[in-house]
Amino acid sequence: MKILVLGAAGAMASGTVKDLTARYSRNVTDIVLADISAEPLQRLTAAIGDPRVSATVLDITDRASLGAALRRADLCINAIPTFAGHQMAIFEACYEAGVAYVDFGGMGVVTVEQKAHHARWQAAGLTAILGLGADPGISNVICKAVAERLDRIDAINLYWAARRFGPESPVLVPPYAVSTVLAEYANPSRQFIDGALVDVAAQSGHETLVLPEPFGPTQFMFSQHSEPLTVPFADGIRDKGIRQFTWKLHLPEREHEAWIGLVKAGFGEFDDPLVVDGHALTPGRFLDALIRRNVERNHARIPASTVSDIHLAIGRGERHGKPATVNCAVLGSSEDPLYEGYVDPATSMGLSIGVQLMGDRALKPGVWGPEEYFDVEAFLRELTARHFTVATDIPVGRPDGTGRPA
């Protein structure tokens, strides 16, 4: 498989390339790394050190150059940040070039618009998979794992939490793209409630679950994400009568407080240009540049720490004629040496896993969410091979001592 990676120098994409070229990976013959600047591409190519990897400087707004690069590939990984605003243009360019398409998705900004092209892609014999990483991606697959264990589905509730262990850092280090975190904290989200998508306020829907160690009592909130836009409408889930599907987030407490403060300060309007002394700049771009500079200048002050995270899907409904609550979780820890050099191994590896599984068999034409495309057991086996823990029916409680969430 010949793969073109757009936005290859980004943190998540570079991790995906690392996994695609790992000793346990397969189905990859060539990888072309494309980005707007040569220097980071050269550093990444040298760091990967694989003869299958080459690099090209590419301006994705140059449609002729983009089309030419796509026509030399079998599959395009779109790793351009969602809020850069190029997702639909790249999606359409892949269709025109006859190339399979995957993206990290995430925020659901254009997910519904992309899904509307399903019949057209299917008729053309082309394949697109939206939101392939950790959340979305791994999260969608564990929702399917839960759904397959229920005969009737009343609700699937999806959660992601991270805990950081070690001394408090004097430097704010974003867990992923600054624009993504700001959107999660500032934007309203769409959740599937009472059988329909409804808009809910940012930072609402507070809910505390008592999770196994090292997490303990963990407070979640609604957040903008793409999973509610695809999972409850997927075959094998929709037809089982689902009436509720929600996605909730928890970041480490002090980081959580920092992002709330930044939104309060006005950075939530990250795409609305601010004019200062005659110069226009969006708050999001300014904050991203400031945080990057601060991290670089104060790198020596950032203490060593470890992060544990959990992706958890809880399904309620009926099994074998009786009420049932089931769950599926994927857990990881940055302590594992395999993850050295990754900013977010789950996101980077999740996309790589999906691409490799696509190469195992003939592609299924259409525009799909991960829950519609992948075999659950095959995907989870790949996660286990990468040292993630996959568990079912972990103990989950409430602060008042009651059992699994009702």
Side-chain angles (χ1 to χ4, degrees):
M1 188 187 312
K2 297 179 180 179
I3 299 171
L4 174 68
V5 185
L6 303 180
M12 301 307 155
S14 59
T16 294
V17 175
K18 184 175 180 180
D19 189 82
L20 286 170
T21 55
R23 55 175 175 76
Y24 45 75
S25 298
R26 62 194 186 280
N27 297 328
V28 177
T29 58
D30 296 279
I31 304 175
V32 176
L33 311 181
D35 217 309
I36 193 67
S37 300
E39 186 177 344
L41 287 174
Q42 292 166 355
R43 288 198 302 267
L44 178 57
T45 304
I48 296 295
D50 190 295
R52 294 171 293 176
V53 176
S54 61
T56 183
V57 174
L58 178 65
D59 179 354
I60 58 168
T61 64
D62 182 341
R63 292 299 296 271
S65 297
L66 175 60
L70 286 169
R71 284 190 292 273
R72 292 190 290 270
D74 301 312
L75 180 142
C76 172
I77 295 174
N78 175 15
I80 304 295
T82 300
F83 287 103
H86 303 295
Q87 209 156 333
M88 284 306 300
I90 295 169
F91 179 77
E92 185 60 27
C94 286
Y95 176 85
E96 293 172 358
V99 173
Y101 170 95
V102 299
D103 64 30
F104 285 108
M107 308 312 294
V109 175
V110 295
T111 300
V112 173
E113 186 178 354
Q114 288 173 302
K115 286 287 288 180
H117 291 269
H118 173 76
R120 188 166 70 110
W121 279 65
Q122 195 169 49
L126 297 174
T127 302
I129 301 177
L130 313 176
L132 186 54
D135 295 272
I138 292 172
S139 57
N140 303 62
V141 174
I142 63 173
C143 288
K144 185 177 180 181
V146 162
E148 288 179 347
R149 297 175 59 202
L150 294 171
D151 301 320
R152 190 196 75 237
I153 302 172
D154 296 327
I156 297 177
N157 301 112
L158 186 57
Y159 306 87
W160 179 74
R163 290 276 194 202
R164 187 176 297 279
F165 302 93
E168 183 182 345
S169 174
V171 179
L172 178 62
V173 180
Y176 30 80
V178 167
S179 60
T180 299
V181 189
L182 290 173
E184 288 178 329
Y185 275 78
N187 290 353
S189 66
R190 305 204 81 193
Q191 309 290 337
F192 188 74
I193 299 172
D194 291 331
L197 288 170
V198 298
D199 293 324
V200 301
Q203 301 176 35
S204 65
H206 289 180
E207 177 185 11
T208 299
L209 302 182
V210 181
L211 302 176
E213 292 301 325
F215 300 97
T218 305
Q219 186 180 81
F220 294 88
M221 66 180 189
F222 286 137
S223 181
Q224 181 184 6
H225 255 250
S226 67
E227 292 93 329
L229 306 178
T230 67
V231 175
F233 306 101
D235 290 345
I237 298 177
R238 177 194 66 252
D239 45 295
K240 290 186 178 181
I242 189 168
R243 299 290 298 169
Q244 183 185 102
F245 183 96
T246 61
W247 194 93
K248 293 187 177 183
L249 168 74
H250 171 93
L251 288 183
E253 283 80 0
R254 297 306 295 269
E255 296 172 32
H256 171 75
E257 294 166 3
W259 293 108
I260 287 177
L262 287 167
V263 169
K264 287 181 178 179
F267 285 98
E269 297 182 75
F270 53 91
D271 276 337
D272 188 10
L274 182 68
V275 178
V276 179
D277 295 333
H279 300 282
L281 184 67
T282 64
R285 288 190 64 190
F286 169 79
L287 183 63
D288 182 66
L290 179 63
I291 287 177
R292 286 175 186 269
R293 188 183 74 174
N294 195 44
V295 169
E296 290 172 2
R297 287 184 174 180
N298 297 284
H299 190 266
R301 299 176 61 209
I302 302 173
S305 65
T306 60
V307 176
S308 294
D309 72 339
I310 180 171
H311 310 264
L312 173 65
I314 301 175
R316 291 186 292 108
E318 185 177 277
R319 182 171 59 182
H320 306 315
K322 297 180 180 179
T325 299
V326 300
N327 68 54
C328 183
V330 173
L331 303 98
S333 171
S334 63
E335 289 184 296
D336 195 304
L338 181 66
Y339 304 147
E340 185 178 352
Y342 288 89
V343 173
D344 181 351
T347 297
S348 295
M349 291 177 171
L351 191 138
S352 175
I353 287 169
V355 168
Q356 292 173 59
L357 289 173
M358 291 169 73
D360 282 345
R361 60 194 63 183
L363 296 177
K364 182 171 69 170
V367 180
W368 310 99
E371 71 281 1
E372 298 175 291
Y373 196 91
F374 297 107
D375 175 78
V376 168
E377 293 303 320
F379 203 105
L380 297 183
R381 277 197 305 271
E382 295 287 340
L383 286 171
T384 301
R386 289 160 174 80
H387 302 181
F388 292 95
T389 298
V390 178
T392 56
D393 298 332
I394 65 172
V396 179
R398 297 287 190 185
D400 61 7
T402 57
R404 290 173 183 157

